Amino acid sequence: MNAANATVGELAAYVDESQRGVPPVIRRRPPRELAERLGLARWIREGGMTADDHAEFLRVYLAEGTRLHHPAYLGHQVAVPDFPAALADLVHGVSNNPMAIYEMGASAATVEFEVLRWMLATVGFGEAGGGVLTHGGSLANLTALLAARASVAPDAWTDGVPGDLALLVPASTHYSLTRAAAILGLGERAVMPLDVDGLGRIDVARLPETLERVRRAGRRPMALVANACATGTGLYDDLRGVGGFCAANGIWFHVDGAHGASALLSQGHRHLLDGIELADSLIWDAHKMLRTSSLAAAVLTRREGDLDAAFRQKASYLFYGEQGFDLIGRTVECSKAELGLKIFLNLAWRGERGLGEYVARRYATAHRLWELATRRPGFTCPYEPESNIVCFRYGTGDQAAVRERLMEDGSFQLTSTEIGGVRHLRAVVMAPATDDKTLEALLDRVAEPDGRVHGGTVPG
Ligand SMILES: *Cc1c(COP(=O)(O)O)cnc(C)c1O
């Protein structure tokens, strides 16, 4: 109990000082030095940690990590967890009900089932749809493509993969999809690029030509993938346009909504996902914009039987039965964490409306960053952001060096991405603590001359 109380106390202080932006957002101490500082070898060898040692260890451990609650955390699309989801992790950590089979966690399985029904209804798949939660979007994409493969080549599970399948993706697609093509046995060469505009969005008007090209190459589309939204730019593909084309041509339509499907909860943004109900399969990460810890991702299919077919040929639909139901037939994983509880508790505390407001505010803050940057001399922004991901350049020099400068002193965590072959800085607004003051400070800091020596100050 003492250790548990100490843990909660340390975590509360950590979140509080992070939110106030007191310490650096990131520290990059070399691993050898860090192992020493944390006393890792000694603890492993000798054991005997007490509640006080535990608190002391945790303090250093947290301080040396990356602070996602910090206003200057603008790096990756990883959720700033809300406390109900964090409590779910604690409950799972203690009760450990790996509920892929009902008898190993009736409550956990039922919670997942209801969370999936909520997601299916939100997407517009309704009662006919099927779903399962997996440990992350990459595994979710793999699972969805397995369902696509089962639909297009039902004998692949027993006989192996036909050599003529193709996966059609925009080049901006997440690497987990091209990787999935290789894992599924299609081979990387089966991944064929769709024509895109200058920002990497699918060019709907040119889809017929692409299909012609694929057919001339002697290939059959296994699936066509659209981004909602793209990892690099945060821009959404035209789901209605792409979905309509797929439906007309009998092509499996997969939507990668890992990051951006949560915009369905914001009245002001759900139009970005117009046409999502045309998808045959969709993935949706809760550990990005629904504020759960990593990992909790949903695979959703428009027809429930398609998901069951992913891992075997006969469909077995899930019902509330007398003996419960087993989700194990739908996942790569055997045992599985209580993923549904994290999403459920965030919903139960914040409501659909609260989560939608969270999304809307982050999207608005990113838009604000774009407004501020476009007004300042020296900054160029290649597009108006649609989500909480913003790309920009400062000057014409090495953008990676700018990022390195900010990360070096821990003032900001940023990422970078290439757009049309040109490297851009990339900010992802995740933390509720990020406000206008943060954004102005970021732009000031980016525009500061290298090493600050030009301003006459002595570099510290
Ligand atoms: C993050 C992301 C993924 C991968 O999800 P993980 O949960 O990190 O495995 C896939 N697709 C898109 C569009 C993403 O943004």
Side-chain angles (χ1 to χ4, degrees):
M1 264 328 265
N2 282 344
N5 286 336
T7 302
V8 172
E10 290 299 331
L11 285 171
Y14 162 81
V15 169
D16 181 62
E17 63 183 17
S18 299
Q19 282 174 338
R20 287 188 291 115
V22 180
V25 61
I26 182 173
R27 286 205 169 102
R28 297 196 294 180
R29 201 180 295 282
R32 213 181 287 278
E33 197 182 313
L34 194 48
E36 185 66 33
R37 200 179 170 86
L38 288 164
L40 301 184
R42 180 170 56 87
W43 284 120
I44 290 170
R45 210 169 43 240
E46 296 169 17
M49 189 177 262
T50 65
D52 287 343
D53 299 331
H54 172 88
E56 179 52 35
F57 169 84
L58 199 56
R59 201 168 305 140
V60 181
Y61 178 90
L62 292 168
E64 296 290 342
T66 304
R67 295 175 182 265
L68 276 60
H69 300 266
H70 197 292
Y73 164 64
L74 294 162
H76 295 271
Q77 306 155 268
V78 178
V80 180
D82 203 354
F83 79 88
L87 295 178
D89 278 324
L90 179 61
V91 171
H92 171 63
V94 175
S95 63
N96 193 27
N97 275 204
M99 37 55 69
I101 53 172
Y102 195 77
E103 68 170 69
M104 283 308 294
S107 301
T110 304
V111 166
E112 173 164 336
F113 193 85
E114 285 300 321
V115 165
L116 286 166
R117 291 209 324 163
W118 168 73
M119 288 179 134
L120 288 165
T122 304
V123 169
F125 290 167
E127 296 288 326
V132 72
L133 297 179
T134 70
H135 290 86
S138 301
L139 214 43
N141 271 330
L142 175 66
T143 306
L145 291 189
L146 262 168
R149 194 184 73 176
S151 166
V152 174
D155 297 329
W157 189 262
T158 41
D159 296 346
V161 187
D164 64 344
L165 299 183
L167 179 66
L168 313 185
V169 303
S172 53
T173 209
H174 191 263
Y175 79 92
S176 60
L177 283 157
T178 45
R179 200 182 245 199
I183 296 172
L184 286 167
L186 271 68
E188 257 185 359
R189 252 197 290 278
V191 180
M192 306 190 80
L194 296 170
D195 290 317
V196 293
D197 68 11
L199 294 168
R201 285 175 297 207
I202 297 174
D203 186 340
V204 177
R206 295 181 65 164
L207 284 173
E209 284 169 50
T210 310
L211 185 56
E212 240 334 279
R213 200 167 64 230
V214 169
R215 292 202 169 129
R216 268 203 312 275
R219 298 255 184 193
R220 276 188 293 160
M222 182 186 84
L224 190 154
V225 179
N227 294 316
C229 50
T231 305
T233 60
L235 293 172
Y236 286 79
D237 279 321
D238 169 6
L239 301 186
R240 184 158 302 286
V242 178
F245 174 82
C246 289
N249 290 279
I251 299 172
W252 182 283
F253 180 34
H254 175 64
V255 175
D256 186 346
H259 183 91
S262 297
L264 286 167
L265 306 181
S266 162
Q267 287 311 320
H269 297 97
R270 58 173 307 145
H271 67 92
L272 293 165
L273 293 142
D274 180 48
I276 196 170
E277 71 284 355
L278 299 172
D280 294 287
S281 57
L282 162 76
I283 75 154
W284 179 357
D285 282 0
H287 59 278
K288 283 179 174 163
M289 295 303 285
L290 295 184
R291 304 197 66 187
T292 76
S293 69
S294 305
L295 300 158
V299 188
L300 306 171
T301 58
R302 183 147 49 89
R303 295 164 300 268
E304 185 172 30
D306 283 348
L307 189 51
D308 290 308
F311 293 96
R312 59 175 167 236
Q313 282 161 272
K314 259 221 183 68
S316 76
Y317 302 89
L318 288 186
F319 300 108
Y320 278 130
E322 287 303 314
Q323 309 299 327
F325 51 85
D326 299 335
L327 287 159
I328 199 165
R330 293 184 173 179
T331 50
V332 174
E333 301 102 309
C334 173
S335 304
K336 181 172 98 163
E338 299 167 46
L339 307 178
L341 188 64
K342 298 199 264 197
I343 305 173
F344 169 76
L345 283 182
N346 273 352
L347 276 165
W349 280 79
R350 306 298 189 195
E352 240 181 78
R353 174 113 57 102
L355 291 177
E357 274 167 16
Y358 165 79
V359 174
R361 293 209 177 116
R362 302 300 77 74
Y363 278 34
T365 304
H367 196 267
R368 180 78 183 138
L369 175 57
W370 172 80
E371 285 164 30
L372 294 173
T374 48
R375 275 189 220 147
R376 288 203 187 202
F379 284 87
T380 45
C381 306
Y383 60 89
E384 182 176 352
E386 290 181 337
S387 65
N388 55 331
I389 300 173
V390 193
C391 293
F392 60 92
R393 282 173 63 79
Y394 178 70
T396 50
D398 180 5
Q399 305 295 303
V402 175
R403 173 177 121 87
E404 193 51 39
R405 175 157 56 81
L406 303 196
M407 302 269 286
E408 190 55 43
D409 63 5
S411 57
F412 287 94
Q413 188 180 21
L414 282 184
T415 44
S416 81
T417 190
E418 278 191 7
I419 301 173
V422 181
R423 185 139 303 271
H424 285 72
L425 292 170
R426 173 174 174 271
V428 185
V429 178
M430 300 296 288
T434 303
D435 59 13
D436 265 31
K437 230 171 67 209
T438 318
L439 304 180
E440 297 278 13
L442 168 69
L443 297 175
D444 287 346
R445 193 76 181 77
V446 167
E448 232 169 57
D450 272 11
R452 283 161 287 167
V453 281
H454 309 291
T457 38
V458 181

